[in-house]
Amino acid sequence: MQKVYKVYFLLTLCVLFWSGNFILGRFIKDEIEPLELAFFRWVLAFILILPFSIKYMNIKKCIKSTKEHFLILSILAILGISLFNTIVYVALQTTQATNALLINSVTPLLVLILGVLILKNPINKIQILGFLSSTFGVVFLVLEGNIAKILELNLKNGDLWIILSATIWALYSILLRFKPKELNHVELFTTLVFLGIIYLSPIYFYQGYSIQREIIMIKQNWPIIIYVSFFASVLSFYFWNNAIAQIGPEKSSQFAHLMPLFGAILAYFFLGEKVEIYHLFGACFIAIGIYLSLFLSKR
């Protein structure tokens, strides 16, 4: 049981880091193009994990596994590395944070649906009740306690990109169940990042960015690139992949409902925004939903 609580704690850190990634992606939308941020994020992430990879990886085993399971590893790399965050950064160029956080909250529902369709997982009443409670908490939080505000939301191109990114992440989480069993977490993550960079590189180089431009961009924004590379990539992906292996994609995805709450907290500390009473009510519904899904529902 102690091991399970550790997984929950690491999952909480994971979505906290991803919440920061959303805020930063919106904050620097005029400084770095989405493809640039995604490319340098994963290149630096790969450099950061190399020392651990050398120590904990069996390179021959990874090469053999990649050859034998090339299709599923490529699909996971394209979905989780090449596409997901790139599309999120594209979406944050045009959509408002309110829309993005609200729409992103459909991820747990998509995971449940894909789990039924692909993994043939059953859904019980407690899970449904927990999901509805968490979703209501997210909607209540994002709409600032005024449900009537949902009529004022206007879908933009960025909102459609967020829907696509949420679908991609849900599919990645489900398909992670089919990863090669012989690869440990470090080997799997390193392999996926390596393949993801390969698939992302042609699109990046096709843009024709000059070396001088990229050097200036990195110098001006290096703290943000380090954050999204280490905290939102290396640590978060390790925590998420480990949680999928330990408790499954359905329970893990429930923690995505914490992102709007964390977004409000981060905005309070870093953007000077106030924490209102609706934040507390929304947090209560989210906590109840996660409790029902994790502790009362049967596997």
Side-chain angles (χ1 to χ4, degrees), residues 221-291:
N221 302 283
W222 63 267
I224 292 175
I225 296 176
I226 289 178
Y227 174 87
V228 299
S229 298
F230 182 67
F231 292 98
S233 296
V234 175
L235 291 183
S236 293
F237 269 71
Y238 178 81
F239 295 159
W240 185 265
N241 291 350
N242 178 65
I244 295 293
Q246 297 293 328
I247 64 175
E250 296 82 12
K251 288 186 175 182
S252 299
S253 67
Q254 281 290 340
F255 282 79
H257 281 138
L258 290 171
M259 289 184 65
L261 176 61
F262 285 150
I265 295 174
L266 291 173
Y268 171 78
F269 283 106
F270 296 104
L271 302 179
E273 297 181 4
K274 296 181 180 180
V275 175
E276 305 288 351
I277 202 72
Y278 63 81
H279 289 128
L280 302 179
F281 278 106
C284 289
F285 282 107
I286 292 171
I288 291 172
I290 292 177
Y291 177 79

Side-chain angles (χ1 to χ4, degrees), residues 198-215:
I198 290 178
Y199 292 125
L200 190 59
S201 294
I203 305 175
Y204 166 78
F205 288 113
Y206 179 77
Q207 303 303 312
Y209 300 116
S210 67
I211 296 178
Q212 183 179 5
R213 166 196 162 89
E214 301 300 66
I215 291 176

Side-chain angles (χ1 to χ4, degrees), residues 158-195:
D159 300 326
L160 300 178
W161 283 113
I162 284 290
I163 293 174
L164 178 59
S165 70
T167 305
I168 287 173
W169 187 251
L171 186 58
Y172 167 83
S173 300
I174 291 296
L175 295 181
L176 202 58
R177 283 290 187 89
F178 300 102
K179 66 179 179 65
K181 294 181 174 58
E182 64 270 18
L183 297 181
N184 61 38
H185 293 305
V186 175
E187 292 170 337
L188 175 65
F189 182 64
T190 304
T191 302
L192 293 183
V193 173
F194 178 75
L195 291 175

Side-chain angles (χ1 to χ4, degrees), residues 2-299:
Q2 186 177 3
K3 185 177 181 180
V4 174
Y5 284 122
K6 181 181 178 181
V7 172
Y8 296 160
F9 173 72
L10 295 180
L11 264 175
T12 303
L13 286 181
C14 171
V15 296
L16 173 60
F17 296 153
W18 279 339
S19 300
N21 178 54
F22 268 67
I23 289 179
L24 290 176
R26 178 67 177 170
F27 179 74
I28 61 169
K29 65 183 182 67
D30 297 325
E31 305 294 330
I32 310 176
E33 292 188 9
L35 193 56
E36 288 179 299
L37 184 56
F39 179 77
F40 285 105
R41 166 184 179 159
W42 289 115
V43 169
L44 180 56
F46 185 73
I47 294 173
L48 291 174
I49 61 176
L50 271 182
F52 300 96
S53 301
I54 294 174
K55 183 176 181 180
Y56 296 103
M57 275 185 64
N58 184 326
I59 298 179
K60 290 184 179 179
K61 181 179 71 173
C62 289
I63 294 175
K64 180 181 177 182
S65 180
T66 301
K67 291 180 180 179
E68 294 177 351
H69 306 280
F70 182 76
L71 180 59
I72 185 62
L73 288 173
S74 292
I75 292 175
L76 290 173
I78 292 172
L79 293 175
I81 307 299
S82 304
L83 289 181
F84 172 65
N85 281 283
T86 306
I87 293 176
V88 167
Y89 295 144
V90 170
L92 291 172
Q93 294 285 306
T94 56
T95 190
Q96 297 297 317
T98 299
N99 291 42
L101 289 170
L102 178 58
I103 295 170
N104 188 69
S105 67
V106 305
T107 301
L109 174 61
L110 294 173
V111 170
L112 286 175
I113 294 174
L114 292 176
V116 173
L117 296 177
I118 298 176
L119 302 179
K120 309 302 180 183
N121 290 336
I123 301 178
N124 58 50
K125 295 180 180 179
I126 296 295
Q127 280 181 307
I128 296 175
L129 183 61
F131 166 78
L132 292 176
S133 177
S134 293
T135 301
F136 178 79
V138 171
V139 173
F140 191 84
L141 178 64
V142 172
L143 297 180
E144 301 180 349
N146 184 0
I147 302 299
K149 279 190 175 184
I150 198 169
L151 300 176
E152 301 174 8
L153 294 177
N154 296 316
L155 283 178
K156 302 176 182 178
N157 289 336
D159 300 326
L160 300 178
W161 283 113
I162 284 290
I163 293 174
L164 178 59
S165 70
T167 305
I168 287 173
W169 187 251
L171 186 58
Y172 167 83
S173 300
I174 291 296
L175 295 181
L176 202 58
R177 283 290 187 89
F178 300 102
K179 66 179 179 65
K181 294 181 174 58
E182 64 270 18
L183 297 181
N184 61 38
H185 293 305
V186 175
E187 292 170 337
L188 175 65
F189 182 64
T190 304
T191 302
L192 293 183
V193 173
F194 178 75
L195 291 175
I197 292 174
I198 290 178
Y199 292 125
L200 190 59
S201 294
I203 305 175
Y204 166 78
F205 288 113
Y206 179 77
Q207 303 303 312
Y209 300 116
S210 67
I211 296 178
Q212 183 179 5
R213 166 196 162 89
E214 301 300 66
I215 291 176
I216 295 175
M217 183 273 294
I218 293 173
K219 285 183 177 180
Q220 292 176 343
N221 302 283
W222 63 267
I224 292 175
I225 296 176
I226 289 178
Y227 174 87
V228 299
S229 298
F230 182 67
F231 292 98
S233 296
V234 175
L235 291 183
S236 293
F237 269 71
Y238 178 81
F239 295 159
W240 185 265
N241 291 350
N242 178 65
I244 295 293
Q246 297 293 328
I247 64 175
E250 296 82 12
K251 288 186 175 182
S252 299
S253 67
Q254 281 290 340
F255 282 79
H257 281 138
L258 290 171
M259 289 184 65
L261 176 61
F262 285 150
I265 295 174
L266 291 173
Y268 171 78
F269 283 106
F270 296 104
L271 302 179
E273 297 181 4
K274 296 181 180 180
V275 175
E276 305 288 351
I277 202 72
Y278 63 81
H279 289 128
L280 302 179
F281 278 106
C284 289
F285 282 107
I286 292 171
I288 291 172
I290 292 177
Y291 177 79
L292 289 175
S293 299
L294 296 182
F295 299 103
L296 295 186
S297 65
K298 299 179 181 179
R299 289 185 64 85

